[in-house]
Amino acid sequence: ASQILEDVRLHLEGTQVADPSGAELLRGVNGSKLRVFKLWLTRTRIGEQTTAALGAVLKSSQGLENVVLGLGGTQVTDPSGAELFRHVNGSKLQVFQLWLNDTPVGTQTTAALGAVLKASQVLEDVALSLEETQVDDPGAADMLRGVNGSKIRVFSFGLRSTPVGTQTSAALGAVLRTSQVLEDVVLDLGGTQVDDPSGADLLRGVNGSKIRV
């Protein structure tokens, strides 16, 4: 058993990994020196046991820099999604990419996610896929409010088919306006309650001088 894991990448999407086996895979892993952790479990039957074990791995590291989690289309719930991120040290995070689309996560998860994101002053690459979840307008807005976007170059945010609206678009605009180095921005707000004035306000004042895509 390794005590010096620094970079872990596991592709298990679309497999028959279930909750007990997913948890057993991660249970007891020493993540104290982890810098990079990438795990794809999209379209599997994992749930609260796996997220609890995954959370323990992430929380054991004080130096996470790059986290990529593909958990879309799984059985992750709002309480288990929140527990996964609660107390994770995000102070050194530069890259944070998360897919939780097509799951019943909501305000508990977004609150825990927001705390992780707000802990970092060096975020450069952020991707959040929360389409077709139970995330609402106050929850998404609170998640984004106070995030330091000054170094963000790449920003992808998906909230399609959720009831988010003016609060979220205002908070999202504030994050984007703090960056002077945006290069790549992808926003999917289709099927939400974002209207024309709030959509315009979201984009107003965003520095797009370096945007390539």
Side-chain angles (χ1 to χ4, degrees):
S2 175
Q3 301 299 304
I4 53 173
L5 285 171
E6 293 184 6
D7 187 330
V8 175
R9 306 171 194 226
L10 299 172
H11 283 269
L12 298 168
E13 60 267 45
T15 64
Q16 295 181 29
V17 173
D19 203 29
S21 57
E24 190 59 35
L25 167 67
L26 296 165
R27 195 173 288 123
V29 171
N30 184 338
S32 60
K33 297 187 186 305
L34 272 178
R35 296 179 299 102
V36 179
F37 190 87
K38 300 184 179 185
L39 174 63
W40 288 268
L41 281 167
T42 309
R43 302 185 314 281
T44 62
R45 292 178 291 126
I46 60 106
E48 63 180 31
Q49 294 181 59
T50 302
T51 52
L54 175 56
V57 174
L58 296 179
K59 290 165 195 175
S60 66
S61 173
Q62 299 302 302
L64 286 170
E65 298 173 5
N66 185 329
V67 174
V68 178
L69 299 174
L71 302 173
T74 63
Q75 296 175 21
V76 176
T77 63
D78 197 30
S80 61
E83 188 57 36
L84 166 62
F85 295 108
R86 198 170 284 126
H87 306 308
V88 169
N89 185 339
S91 62
K92 296 182 180 178
L93 272 179
Q94 298 172 31
V95 177
F96 188 80
Q97 299 179 356
L98 173 67
W99 286 263
L100 270 172
N101 51 294
D102 302 309
T103 65
V105 299
T107 55
Q108 295 180 60
T109 300
T110 52
L113 268 177
V116 174
L117 294 173
K118 291 166 195 176
S120 176
Q121 302 300 302
V122 290
L123 284 171
E124 296 182 6
D125 184 334
V126 177
L128 298 173
S129 176
L130 297 167
E131 296 98 331
E132 299 186 29
T133 61
Q134 295 177 19
V135 174
D136 61 15
D137 198 28
D142 188 57
M143 176 179 70
L144 294 167
R145 202 172 284 124
V147 170
N148 183 339
S150 61
K151 292 180 167 44
I152 290 178
R153 296 178 300 99
V154 180
F155 191 87
S156 176
F157 197 35
L159 277 169
R160 173 174 36 83
S161 301
T162 62
V164 301
T166 56
Q167 295 180 59
T168 300
S169 59
L172 180 53
V175 173
L176 295 179
R177 281 189 284 274
T178 63
S179 176
Q180 301 301 303
V181 291
L182 281 172
E183 296 178 1
D184 187 335
V185 178
V186 178
L187 301 176
D188 185 355
L189 299 171
T192 65
Q193 295 177 23
V194 175
D195 57 18
D196 194 31
S198 58
D201 189 56
L202 184 162
L203 298 169
R204 196 172 287 120
V206 172
N207 184 340
S209 63
K210 298 184 188 307
I211 287 178
R212 296 177 292 104
V213 179

